[in-house]
Amino acid sequence: MLWAAAGAVVLGFFIALEIAARRYGLPGPLTSQAREVVFAPKSGFLLYASMGLMLVVLTWRQRLIAVGAAVGIDIVFLLVRWAADAKPAFGNGALWVLLGCAVIAVTRRTGRERALLLKGVGLGLLLVTGRKTGDTWLLITSKTRPMVLDQYTATADHALGNPSWQVGRIVRASGPIGTHALDYIYIQLALAAVVVAVYQLRHVAAERRFPRHHLVRTFLIIGLIGPGIYMIFPVVGPVFAYGADGGHWALADVWPNTPPPIGAPHPMRFDGITPRNCMPSLHAAWATAIFIHSRKGPRFLRYAGAFWLVATLTATLGFGYHYGVDLIAGVVFSLTTEAAIRSFDRGWDRAGIRLAAYGAAVFAALLVSYRCLPTTMADHPWVFGPLLLLAMASVIHGYVRTAKCWEPVLVPAQRLEAQPELVRAAVARSR
């Protein structure tokens, strides 16, 4: 019943976004996803990663058949596109396999096996459709929020030493190799999430059930709630508001060479194309979630999670997509969301409620301070800079402390003491 209710809510949400996108003359998430059944997908890697999530519910024989079918279908599509002199692309095969498994679940499975296979297909489709939903959300922000608050965030960012400008110069100095590497890490964040999620779900096929909590849930909920905050605090980012990418809408072409001067900020009008997707930084939130969920994995996965977090934060700043204050808000938002989800799984225990409430209060205080106190923050960087970092650190400390309380307590086995008198008595009886 819970899965059915959640599915109905998600479907209604997708339909609402579809209607909203059609009002602006563009296809919504459902239409975009349906087109990829035949036409070239936007991201083949994402489709295969989504299929990889679904494979966790299958046996090894079924997995080999599914992967072989996906590759075979993609080869056929590639040959057809080559014959039609169209742009080569892949990923259709993975989507066909996902849809085929959904049909098999409905027509050939019953009971728990049907529910398990549908859950696997649902996870895969939610990941790829979530990407389409995000694109539609970004379109809505650009059409409905003509005024942006970049002057406020740029002014508040002086309290942190203008990290986007600092890191932007470093990334430019790294040359094309460093830039391309960071760009690949930035755009393939979902692939990193799938790697961690597959590790967490590796026992699903054997146990025939999903674990209570895993990364995919946090990933999807962050993506569902986060864009709503874009509507409250619309920001386009320094590379657009203060860089060449903003065209004539930019205040000046000074990023990343010269930080903007401190002045009285006010809302500024921007174009109807650029997404208002900076506050909070969802890339920072997602990378933080990946880091948290990779902590229980093997050493390689832990190192990879830490590397992806650092590289993602570097890319968001170095490419001018975010201000430093965006990243702080994104980390707090991620930890608060994770705390709320885990607390819900535990029946809303007191420690979890307290942490979620505290994280939400800190997040709200950050947004209010960025909007109401940016000039004061910029004028006193040695006061407000450490305060911002301490606010984020307090949420991190609270999560780490609370998460330790959630871990099961392992009681060591009692060690049996040697009793020589019993041994001698047994030997005497045996004689």
Side-chain angles (χ1 to χ4, degrees), residues 22-390:
R22 292 299 182 92
R23 289 184 58 187
Y24 297 107
L26 294 174
L30 298 178
T31 303
S32 299
Q33 192 58 68
R35 284 175 54 86
E36 292 188 351
V37 174
V38 177
F39 295 98
K42 185 176 180 180
S43 174
F45 287 108
L46 182 63
L47 285 170
Y48 269 92
S50 301
M51 186 186 71
L53 273 182
M54 185 271 298
L55 294 181
V56 299
V57 304
L58 304 180
T59 64
W60 278 107
R61 179 177 177 274
Q62 293 169 338
R63 291 171 185 172
L64 292 175
I65 294 174
V67 172
V71 173
I73 293 171
D74 266 330
I75 291 174
V76 173
F77 270 92
L78 283 172
L79 292 176
V80 172
R81 289 184 178 117
W82 175 74
D85 198 23
K87 181 180 178 180
F90 70 98
N92 301 90
L95 183 57
W96 277 49
V97 168
L98 277 169
L99 298 176
C101 287
V103 173
I104 292 173
V106 174
T107 60
R108 304 292 297 273
R109 298 286 189 271
T110 59
R112 294 183 61 185
E113 291 299 315
R114 170 187 289 177
L116 185 67
L117 184 53
L118 285 177
K119 288 178 183 178
V121 173
L123 278 180
L125 290 178
L126 275 176
L127 182 65
V128 67
T129 308
R131 176 71 174 269
K132 304 297 182 183
T133 302
D135 294 341
T136 304
W137 258 120
L138 298 183
L139 167 69
I140 293 173
T141 63
S142 64
K143 298 298 183 182
T144 61
R145 292 295 181 269
M147 309 298 290
V148 298
L149 304 178
D150 280 77
Q151 293 187 34
Y152 292 86
T153 49
T155 303
D157 221 36
H158 281 276
L160 299 173
N162 303 107
S164 180
W165 273 258
Q166 306 291 344
V167 180
R169 290 195 291 270
I170 295 174
V171 170
R172 281 194 176 182
S174 67
I177 297 178
T179 301
H180 290 319
L182 283 177
D183 182 61
Y184 181 81
I185 292 172
Y186 184 83
I187 64 177
Q188 295 299 339
L189 188 65
L191 183 60
V194 168
V195 172
V196 177
V198 168
Y199 174 80
Q200 291 180 322
L201 303 175
R202 66 194 184 280
H203 297 310
V204 170
E207 297 176 355
R208 313 312 293 168
R209 64 178 181 85
F210 279 85
R212 176 178 293 182
H213 181 54
H214 49 82
L215 174 61
V216 181
R217 297 175 66 197
T218 305
F219 217 74
L220 292 174
I221 292 176
I222 288 175
L224 180 65
I225 301 175
I229 306 172
Y230 294 161
M231 307 291 284
I232 301 172
F233 208 112
V235 178
V236 294
V239 73
F240 297 104
Y242 295 95
D245 289 7
H248 68 277
W249 295 96
L251 282 177
D253 185 6
V254 296
W255 185 90
N257 299 316
T258 307
I262 300 174
H266 58 271
M268 56 181 283
R269 183 173 292 275
F270 213 77
D271 63 29
I273 301 174
T274 306
R276 280 68 163 148
N277 61 340
C278 285
M279 182 62 69
S281 169
L282 293 194
H283 266 78
W286 282 321
T288 301
I290 291 173
F291 175 80
I292 292 172
H293 284 264
S294 66
R295 293 306 89 197
K296 292 185 179 180
R299 180 179 299 177
F300 168 76
L301 198 64
R302 296 196 303 272
Y303 287 166
F307 168 78
W308 217 275
L309 173 62
V310 174
T312 300
L313 298 182
T314 303
T316 56
L317 293 174
F319 293 144
Y321 297 148
H322 288 281
Y323 304 90
V325 292
D326 303 343
L327 271 59
I328 290 178
V331 172
V332 172
F333 177 67
S334 179
L335 293 170
T336 303
T337 304
E338 179 74 12
I341 296 173
R342 295 191 65 179
S343 179
F344 173 78
D345 290 337
R346 298 176 61 84
W348 292 114
D349 64 321
R350 181 178 299 178
I353 294 175
R354 185 167 55 246
L355 175 60
Y358 177 72
V362 171
F363 181 75
L366 289 174
L367 294 188
V368 171
S369 65
Y370 300 160
R371 185 65 171 83
C372 301
L373 301 173
T375 305
T376 304
M377 296 170 66
D379 290 337
H380 303 88
W382 293 106
V383 175
F384 285 93
L387 280 178
L388 291 175
L389 296 176
L390 282 174

Side-chain angles (χ1 to χ4, degrees), residues 1-6:
M1 291 295 294
L2 181 60
W3 277 85

